[in-house]
């Protein structure tokens, strides 16, 4: 096992579910001496919500920002139950692909640069700890670092041998309905059924989805009522919204609020809470140009690269909102994310290290440019 795979094993065997500060500190303790060997600065950054993130940087000139997250979705104790394991050409373990292999890819690519001449640019790396929560704290750091960057490279796991040039925007909402409780037998007519009111609204919200335009509303988690013999006075539903363009946001929200404002059951009240948590990362000429640069490098290295538009969100959405060129999915190929079957295709780790290192060499030396 070489040092890159050994580092990945050590990282995977540390619990780092979102919010687990001790786990993040252990991971930072692994990265810090590597940063020193690479002659990079390494500092912690505390966000407005108290979450702690880590920034590593070196060099002068035009800035290139690399992003990979340290947090996973798995609870404390998962690493002990399902430690890093290799079976054939695959590695398994919590966060092995999403996104600890991305962190290792960045560190390994910079290691290659350090063995040669460091490129004539400033490379900044953000290892954040709340991506799985939609980056509530680190988004301010992402915006700060992304603004004015020549390119932002997000090292999330790849979808096959592809790079990600666009991601859907995400909205998360909770629709809450208040009615009036009553006994379902003796005074049913006095009640105002919040569940039925919510059911009408859910049906109308579902009808707003349009697969052709890529706008989808998914009413999902529902709560309401207490006993079958009581007219329910409260009900709520969590809604996931996905959209492809910023232009779609206004219409989607207007139509959602119109339904919230309508009333099917008299004297019920409805309230919508939530927001767009990740703006869309749209396909732009700059993103496609960035993809073409990686494709050219991939061709030179014998790596065939396609591109995809993803329905999921990442920190690339937040960086793209700053108006800079962004490419995502630069990490190794994997699958089963957020499940016990999560895996990494080990050969792809080395392909992606070479790809990222070569891009940074060429970009920093002026051989390519956005």
């Amino acid at each position: 096992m070489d040092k890159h795979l050994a580092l990945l094993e050590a990282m995977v065997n540390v619990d780092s579910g979102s919010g687990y500060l001790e786990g993040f500190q252990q991971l930072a303790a692994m990265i810090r001496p590597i940063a020193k060997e690479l002659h990079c600065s390494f500092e912690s950054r505390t966000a407005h919500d108290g979450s702690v993130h880590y920034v590593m940087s070196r060099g002068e000139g035009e800035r290139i920002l690399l992003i990979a997250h340290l947090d996973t979705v798995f609870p404390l104790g998962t690493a002990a139950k399902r430690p890093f394991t290799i079976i054939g050409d695959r590695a398994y373990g919590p966060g092995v692909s999403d996104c600890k292999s991305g962190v290792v890819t960045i560190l390994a690519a910079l290691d290659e640069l350090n063995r040669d001449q460091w490129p004539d640019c400033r490379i900044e790396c953000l290892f954040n700890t709340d991506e799985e929560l939609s980056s509530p704290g680190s988004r301010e750091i992402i915006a700060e670092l992304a603004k004015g960057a020549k390119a932002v490279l997000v090292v999330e796991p790849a979808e096959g041998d592809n790079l990600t040039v666009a991601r859907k925007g995400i909205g998360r909402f909770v629709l809450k309905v208040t009615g009036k409780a009553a006994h379902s037998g003796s005074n049913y007519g006095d009640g105002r059924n919040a569940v039925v009111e919510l059911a009408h609204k859910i049906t109308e919200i579902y009808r707003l989805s349009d697969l052709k335009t890529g706008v989808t509303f998914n009413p999902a988690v529902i709560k309401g009522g207490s006993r079958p013999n009581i007219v329910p006075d409260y009900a709520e539903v969590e809604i996931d919204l996905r959209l492809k363009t910023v232009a779609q946001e206004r219409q989607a929200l207007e139509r959602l609020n119109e339904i919230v404002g309508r009333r099917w059951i008299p004297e019920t009240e409805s309230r919508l809470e939530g927001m767009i948590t990740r703006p869309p990362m749209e396909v732009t000429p700059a993103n496609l140009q960035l993809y073409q640069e990686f494709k050219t490098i991939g061709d030179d290295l014998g790596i065939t690269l396609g591109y995809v538009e993803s329905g999921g969100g990442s920190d690339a959405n937040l960086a793209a909102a700053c108006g800079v060129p962004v490419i995502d999915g630069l990490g190794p190929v994997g699958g089963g994310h957020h499940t016990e079957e999560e895996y990494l295709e080990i050969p792809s780790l080395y392909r992606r290290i070479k790809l990222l290192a070569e891009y940074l060499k060429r970009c920093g030396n002026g051989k390519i440019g956005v």
Side-chain angles (χ1 to χ4, degrees):
M1 182 183 297
D2 69 7
K3 65 178 182 179
H4 303 318
L5 207 54
L7 176 61
L8 180 59
E9 177 181 29
M11 286 188 163
V12 169
N13 287 340
V14 172
D15 284 311
S16 60
S18 302
Y20 184 50
L21 181 58
E22 183 178 332
F24 303 141
Q25 290 172 336
Q26 291 181 53
L27 295 176
M30 296 179 191
I31 298 172
R32 187 172 287 107
I34 297 173
K36 186 176 181 180
E37 291 177 6
L38 298 175
H39 307 288
C40 292
S41 64
F42 186 76
E43 62 177 1
S44 61
R45 298 279 295 273
T46 303
H48 71 278
D49 62 355
S51 58
V52 179
H53 315 276
Y54 303 92
V55 177
M56 189 174 83
S57 58
R58 176 183 169 184
E60 301 294 336
E62 290 187 299
R63 295 186 302 108
I64 300 172
L65 175 61
L66 312 180
I67 302 175
H69 62 91
L70 298 174
D71 62 322
T72 74
V73 300
F74 301 103
L76 188 63
T78 303
K81 294 178 182 177
R82 291 194 295 109
F84 181 88
T85 305
I86 294 177
I87 303 176
D89 284 338
R90 287 185 173 182
Y92 296 83
V96 67
S97 178
D98 183 20
C99 179
K100 291 178 178 178
S101 64
V103 176
V104 172
T105 299
I106 290 174
L107 296 173
L110 297 187
D111 184 51
E112 285 201 16
L113 297 185
N114 191 52
R115 292 200 302 269
D116 299 323
Q117 182 178 356
W118 193 266
D120 186 21
C121 63
R122 180 169 179 80
I123 299 173
E124 298 176 328
C125 310
L126 172 63
F127 304 119
N128 58 335
T129 62
D130 61 354
E131 193 274 345
E132 297 293 2
L133 302 176
S134 293
S135 307
S138 63
R139 63 179 52 213
E140 63 187 23
I141 302 173
I142 292 170
E144 173 194 333
L145 296 174
K147 287 178 181 176
K150 181 176 183 177
V152 178
L153 313 178
V154 182
V155 196
E156 286 277 355
E159 296 185 29
D161 289 320
N162 299 301
L163 300 180
T164 303
V165 298
R167 286 188 178 275
K168 282 191 175 183
I170 302 173
R172 292 288 169 79
F173 303 91
V174 180
L175 172 55
K176 300 180 177 182
V177 178
T178 303
K180 180 181 178 182
H183 192 282
S184 63
S186 59
N187 59 340
Y188 179 83
D190 292 339
R192 299 293 181 264
N193 195 310
V195 167
V196 174
E197 176 69 16
L198 181 63
H200 282 288
K201 286 180 161 63
I202 287 175
T203 301
E204 293 301 308
I205 291 169
Y206 177 75
R207 289 173 179 165
L208 295 178
S209 295
D210 185 346
L211 294 179
K212 291 182 180 180
T213 63
V215 177
T216 56
F217 288 84
N218 185 45
V221 182
I222 301 173
K223 301 175 184 177
S226 57
R227 295 176 61 87
N229 61 344
I230 299 175
V231 176
D233 63 355
Y234 180 80
E236 67 174 50
V237 61
E238 296 180 37
I239 304 166
D240 177 280
L241 166 63
R242 304 280 166 145
L243 29 77
K244 295 183 69 173
T245 70
V246 174
Q248 292 172 335
E249 286 186 25
R250 181 176 178 180
Q251 183 181 31
L253 294 179
E254 284 179 351
R255 296 175 73 185
L256 178 59
N257 279 292
E258 179 185 355
I259 292 171
V260 173
R262 292 168 62 185
R263 183 182 288 120
W264 282 262
I265 306 296
E267 299 177 38
T268 56
E269 298 293 334
S270 299
R271 183 173 77 256
L272 184 69
E273 299 176 354
M275 60 184 291
I276 300 293
T277 60
R278 293 193 186 276
M281 172 187 167
E282 299 184 33
V283 178
T284 66
N287 290 0
L288 291 177
Q289 174 64 27
L290 193 51
Y291 160 72
Q292 287 297 334
E293 292 167 0
F294 273 102
K295 185 178 185 305
T296 298
I297 293 170
D299 290 342
D300 292 344
L301 297 174
I303 303 170
T304 302
L305 294 173
Y307 71 82
V308 294
E309 300 178 28
S310 176
S314 80
D315 288 329
N317 297 64
L318 303 176
C322 298
V324 297
V326 181
I327 207 80
D328 198 354
L330 276 164
V333 179
H337 306 126
H338 297 190
T339 75
E340 294 186 359
E341 304 303 319
E342 181 177 359
Y343 67 88
L344 166 75
E345 298 285 358
I346 295 174
S348 72
L349 172 65
Y350 300 97
R351 293 197 301 270
R352 292 305 174 110
I353 290 170
K354 289 182 179 179
L355 181 69
L356 180 57
E358 186 62 24
Y359 174 84
L360 294 172
K361 290 176 185 177
R362 296 189 190 187
C363 191
N365 293 326
K367 295 182 179 180
I368 55 175
V370 177

